[in-house]
Amino acid sequence: ESTKPSFAASVVVRRCVDYTSSVPVDPPAVVILAAGGSSRMGRPKPLLKVGGRPLLCVHVESFNGFADPIIVVVGAHADEVQKVLPKGVIVVENTAWAHTWPADSLSLALNSAGVTGSCWVTPVDSAPASPETLRRVLAACAPAVPENCSGEPGHPVLLDPSLVEAVKNQAPAGGIRTLLAGATRVPVDDDVAANFNDLTTFRQWRRGPKSGD
């Protein structure tokens, strides 16, 4: 069993007060995990370009109208990554990124931003979600996980309030997926299982018909 790391002196939260995206009543929050070192990629994953824009910004834009607040966890390359973020995003810095796991970054973000309701979660090295995918997952009974046409699970996942509280109390030792075994599986048309482990997988996805490149 993993011990929850202490992040009390490692948190930097910033939010601009003019966040004005149009969202449904009581929308879920979203946490975009972008703290990793991108060692296999060889360059910061959040800054990879999709249609001339940073991948992280495409993720943020995809949740406009579907989430509030939008929370981004940064770690490695924190200064560079924060420079490209639009106003209104909550930034949580995990300065212990090199010694912690994505689930730890998620727990840190949920606690730092005071999230209490449902919450989307997506890593930055996955394909940004389309509006139709987000609508379908929202319409399902949370917790919910989208799956592609091959039945492979992907992102973003939608945690219900009870799972949010569980992660706030203790980052799951086996990762977020261990909490989602009983989640509603939602078939979608996008390749939600796409994961950018290296430049080859990213370029293959970017050349796809929905990449916008």
Side-chain angles (χ1 to χ4, degrees):
E1 184 177 355
S2 67
T3 301
K4 185 177 180 180
S6 174
F7 291 109
S10 306
V11 182
V12 178
V13 181
R14 302 183 181 90
R15 183 170 185 179
C16 300
V17 296
D18 60 346
Y19 184 71
T20 56
S21 82
S22 175
V23 294
V25 176
D26 297 325
V30 61
V31 175
I32 303 173
L33 302 169
S38 306
S39 57
R40 285 176 294 179
M41 184 68 69
R43 64 187 70 177
K45 290 179 181 179
L47 304 181
L48 293 170
K49 292 299 179 66
V50 180
R53 295 173 295 159
L55 174 61
L56 177 56
C57 292
V58 178
H59 274 289
V60 169
E61 292 165 8
S62 73
F63 284 100
N64 283 334
F66 293 95
D68 185 41
I70 295 176
I71 307 157
V72 174
V73 185
V74 300
H77 319 290
D79 290 341
E80 296 174 72
V81 172
Q82 291 181 69
K83 287 178 182 178
V84 305
L85 285 171
K87 292 181 178 181
V89 172
I90 294 179
V91 179
V92 176
E93 182 173 355
N94 178 4
T95 59
W97 64 269
H99 309 292
T100 53
W101 298 95
D104 296 311
S105 285
L106 175 60
S107 182
L108 171 66
L110 295 174
N111 280 292
S112 300
V115 177
T116 57
S118 298
C119 186
W120 299 100
V121 182
T122 192
V124 74
D125 58 355
S126 61
S130 70
E132 181 58 26
T133 287
L134 296 176
R135 278 191 287 267
R136 289 189 189 183
V137 176
L138 268 179
C141 182
V145 178
E147 61 180 25
N148 64 15
C149 59
S150 299
E152 298 172 298
H155 291 94
V157 300
L158 183 61
L159 306 183
D160 66 0
S162 64
L163 288 184
V164 166
E165 290 304 313
V167 176
K168 287 168 68 176
N169 290 330
Q170 177 67 60
I176 302 165
R177 292 288 182 187
T178 61
L179 300 177
L180 294 168
T184 303
R185 298 290 284 264
V186 184
V188 298
D189 298 328
D190 297 333
D191 187 10
V192 291
N195 186 272
F196 313 140
N197 293 317
D198 50 38
L199 276 175
T200 298
T201 53
F202 174 70
R203 286 168 175 163
Q204 288 173 344
W205 171 81
R206 193 176 58 178
R207 287 196 296 265
K210 297 184 180 181
S211 69
D213 192 23

